[in-house]
């Protein structure tokens, strides 16, 4: 595997600048285009699975993170609070859960509202030491694919099973190849919140959800508020990290005094399930760049289609074709400078899935010749058919460049 930092620079996906600060990468247009395609897909997947999206700010009052326990248990990983005045301090959030707990309690909830799935692709911050930072794998400003599913204890099993199904679906579409599942449990040395009985019940529920799945146990790898299932990936240097996670939490509902009214009119505590299907956009892309060696599936390739007029006489035909591709929702560009062979090589080097060559013969009859980045070429096609072919591959998020059949 290739180091994503080198390839990310080479493909113009992201950069860093000492003036911006270590661990604070800048996403360049190509990287942003790929990331947006992935973000839109994840939101669509979540909507279809009954999640409701919210937008909450990446910082909040100090008291919010005192209440959540983060300042007690997690302060070492957080940036120091920012003081505006003696009684007005703000904290860059290290997690989205406190805000989502406030969303939950922004109105009364009944049993019928559960499971309530609050999702957000939101910003958060970790005060990582500068020595461990590099590229996208370890950053200080994190864009997390996150959700908090509030449910009854009876619903936890089905909820976790459904989350694991969504994780597998997202991994298949993105080309993620997990290195393994880990059940992360308490260790003897760390500090945890919550009572013994809750921890045992949570561990039992997660074990049951993993029935039939091969997994290892990570003692001491639990979150401070509960055990979790982590899905691990391995980077080009052989380092393992967590990409996807499902965590049970009996503690935050208690701290935030969250409740719902059951069918008998009694007030009950929901369970909070923290989950991330694909982790942070930073770590995900650090991994995807390496695992695909920059050759992303067409649906999230930064540029999907490059149009190559053979000579100036085909400029307007090429322009029209690119405009039609863009109107069909594709990311298309016209490249004019240099020899045709040179432009084809450049497009393949940039991992652009399709190059549409327009020569005088094709221009005269409204056709293009598609060349694929793997070196294959297709017989000339009417422009509309070529666009439909690419659009079908993109819409189905196929890993192949030519639709089957
Ligand atoms: Zn959370």
């Amino acid at each position: 595997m290739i180091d994503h930092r080198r390839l990310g620079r080479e493909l113009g996906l992201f950069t860093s600048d000492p003036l911006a600060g270590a661990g604070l990468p800048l996403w360049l247009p190509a990287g942003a285009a790929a990331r947006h395609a992935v973000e839109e897909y994840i939101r669509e997947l979540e909507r279809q699975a009954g999640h409701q999206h919210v937008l909450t700010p990446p910082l909040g009052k100090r008291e919010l993170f005192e209440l959540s326990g983060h300042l007690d248990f997690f302060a070492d990983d957080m940036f120091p609070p920012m003081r505006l005045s003696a009684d007005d301090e703000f904290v860059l959030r290290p997690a989205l859960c406190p805000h989502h707990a406030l969303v939950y309690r922004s109105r009364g909830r009944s049993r019928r509202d559960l499971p309530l799935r609050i999702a957000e692709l939101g910003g958060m911050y970790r005060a990582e030491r500068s020595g461990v930072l590099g590229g996208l794998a370890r950053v200080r400003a994190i864009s997390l694919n996150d959700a908090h599913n509030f449910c009854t204890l009876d619903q936890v099993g089905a909820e976790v099973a459904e989350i694991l199904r969504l994780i597998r679906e997202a991994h298949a579409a993105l080309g993620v190849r997990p290195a393994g599942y880990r059940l992360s449990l308490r260790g003897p040395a760390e500090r945890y919140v919550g009572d013994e009985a809750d921890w045992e019940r949570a561990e039992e529920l997660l074990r049951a959800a993993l029935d039939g799945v091969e997994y290892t146990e990570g003692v001491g790898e639990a979150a401070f508020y509960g055990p979790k299932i982590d899905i691990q990936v391995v980077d080009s240097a052989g380092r393992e990290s967590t990409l996807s996670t499902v965590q049970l939490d009996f503690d935050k509902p208690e701290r935030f005094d969250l409740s719902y009214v059951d069918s008998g009119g009694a007030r009950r505590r929901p369970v909070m399930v923290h989950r991330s299907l694909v982790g942070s956009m930073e770590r995900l892309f650090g991994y995807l760049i390496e695992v695909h060696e920059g050759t992303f599936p067409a649906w999230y390739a930064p540029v999907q289609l490059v149009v190559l007029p053979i000579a100036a006489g085909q400029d307007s035909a090429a322009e029209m074709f690119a405009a039609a591709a863009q109107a069909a929702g594709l990311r298309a560009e016209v490249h004019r400078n240099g020899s045709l062979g040179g432009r084809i090589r450049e497009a393949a080097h940039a991992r652009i899935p399709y190059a549409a060559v327009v020569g005088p013969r094709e221009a005269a009859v409204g056709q293009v010749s598609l060349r694929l980045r793997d070196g294959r070429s297709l017989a000339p096609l009417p422009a509309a058919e070529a666009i439909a072919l690419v659009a079908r591959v993109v819409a189905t998020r196929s890993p192949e460049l030519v639709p089957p059949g």
Side-chain angles (χ1 to χ4, degrees):
M1 262 200 272
I2 284 173
D3 187 330
H4 80 273
R5 287 170 295 188
R6 208 189 49 158
L7 198 52
R9 238 189 337 268
E10 213 176 290
L11 296 174
L13 298 172
F14 68 93
T15 188
S16 58
D17 190 308
L19 202 50
L24 298 164
L26 312 175
W27 293 72
L28 299 174
R35 176 171 152 181
H36 281 152
V38 168
E39 290 183 0
E40 279 155 28
Y41 161 65
I42 293 293
R43 271 195 284 269
E44 184 187 315
L45 182 67
E46 289 173 339
R47 269 196 305 276
Q48 287 168 353
H51 291 63
Q52 302 179 56
H53 291 100
V54 296
L55 295 163
T56 60
L59 78 173
K61 294 269 284 182
R62 179 191 183 105
E63 290 80 357
L64 176 61
F65 300 93
E66 282 170 356
L67 182 61
S68 70
H70 283 97
L71 280 170
D72 265 350
F73 289 87
F74 205 69
D76 289 350
D77 294 300
M78 295 168 63
F79 282 95
M82 294 172 281
R83 170 178 280 208
L84 289 187
S85 64
D87 56 357
D88 209 13
E89 282 190 70
F90 289 84
V91 167
L92 287 173
R93 67 178 173 191
L96 278 65
C97 356
H99 282 104
H100 289 189
L102 298 182
V103 167
Y104 180 91
R105 70 178 205 189
S106 64
R107 45 161 285 196
R109 306 289 179 183
S110 79
R111 170 72 180 70
R112 284 189 312 274
D113 295 325
L114 307 184
L116 184 77
R117 307 179 181 101
I118 301 296
E120 178 172 8
L121 207 151
M124 60 183 222
Y125 299 86
R126 296 271 165 100
E128 301 274 9
R129 286 166 298 110
S130 56
V132 301
L133 299 170
L136 296 175
R138 221 43 199 269
V139 294
R140 286 170 163 161
I142 298 163
S143 316
L144 188 67
N145 156 245
D146 202 8
H148 296 91
N149 300 12
F150 300 89
C151 58
T152 68
L153 193 57
D154 297 344
Q155 292 169 332
V156 166
E159 204 56 27
V160 172
E162 170 67 359
I163 291 166
L164 292 176
R165 186 190 70 76
L166 291 172
I167 288 173
R168 283 189 204 102
E169 187 171 333
H171 286 178
L174 290 160
V176 171
R177 296 196 273 274
Y181 285 59
R182 183 176 73 190
L183 178 60
S184 295
L185 305 166
R186 283 170 297 176
E190 293 82 4
R191 290 177 67 216
Y192 301 97
V193 290
D195 64 53
E196 185 65 27
D198 283 346
W199 273 85
E200 273 176 21
R201 191 163 45 185
E203 287 174 8
E204 205 176 292
L205 287 163
L206 290 183
R207 260 183 233 285
L210 283 170
D211 192 34
V213 178
E214 206 179 299
Y215 66 93
T216 58
E217 295 193 355
V219 174
E221 299 290 341
F224 71 83
Y225 46 76
K228 52 187 181 140
I229 296 170
D230 290 324
I231 298 161
Q232 306 295 103
V233 292
V234 174
D235 73 6
S236 61
R239 280 182 303 247
E240 192 177 296
S241 60
T242 299
L243 195 69
S244 314
T245 187
V246 190
Q247 316 183 355
L248 290 194
D249 186 350
F250 294 102
D251 179 61
K252 264 176 218 74
E254 200 74 37
R255 288 170 176 268
F256 282 89
D257 193 24
L258 304 183
S259 66
Y260 66 91
V261 177
D262 73 9
S263 52
R267 223 174 136 252
R268 305 226 176 257
R269 219 32 99 232
V271 181
M272 190 172 183
V273 183
H274 311 246
R275 70 102 187 110
S276 180
L277 301 181
V278 294
S280 72
M281 289 300 114
E282 291 79 14
R283 182 171 285 175
L284 174 67
F285 268 91
Y287 171 77
L288 292 175
I289 292 167
E290 293 186 355
V291 79
H292 293 298
E293 300 193 349
T295 309
F296 297 144
W299 70 270
Y300 64 92
V303 175
Q304 296 164 320
L305 177 65
V306 61
V307 188
L308 308 177
I310 289 184
Q314 293 88 53
D315 259 5
S316 67
E319 287 291 349
M320 272 171 57
F321 180 71
Q326 286 161 357
L330 300 175
R331 293 183 288 278
E333 287 177 357
V334 180
H335 290 187
R336 287 187 194 79
N337 298 329
S339 70
L340 180 65
R343 283 179 284 159
I344 288 173
R345 273 194 303 279
E346 251 171 53
H349 186 71
R351 275 68 160 178
I352 299 172
Y354 304 93
V357 177
V358 187
R361 218 156 358 127
E362 285 98 344
V365 292
Q367 294 191 335
V368 301
S369 296
L370 284 183
R371 300 196 46 132
L372 314 185
R373 67 182 163 200
D374 59 15
R376 285 181 289 167
S377 7
L378 307 183
L381 286 170
E385 272 178 45
I387 290 171
L389 181 149
V390 177
R392 193 151 72 248
V393 168
V394 168
T396 55
R397 299 192 183 90
S398 168
E400 308 298 333
L401 294 180
V402 182

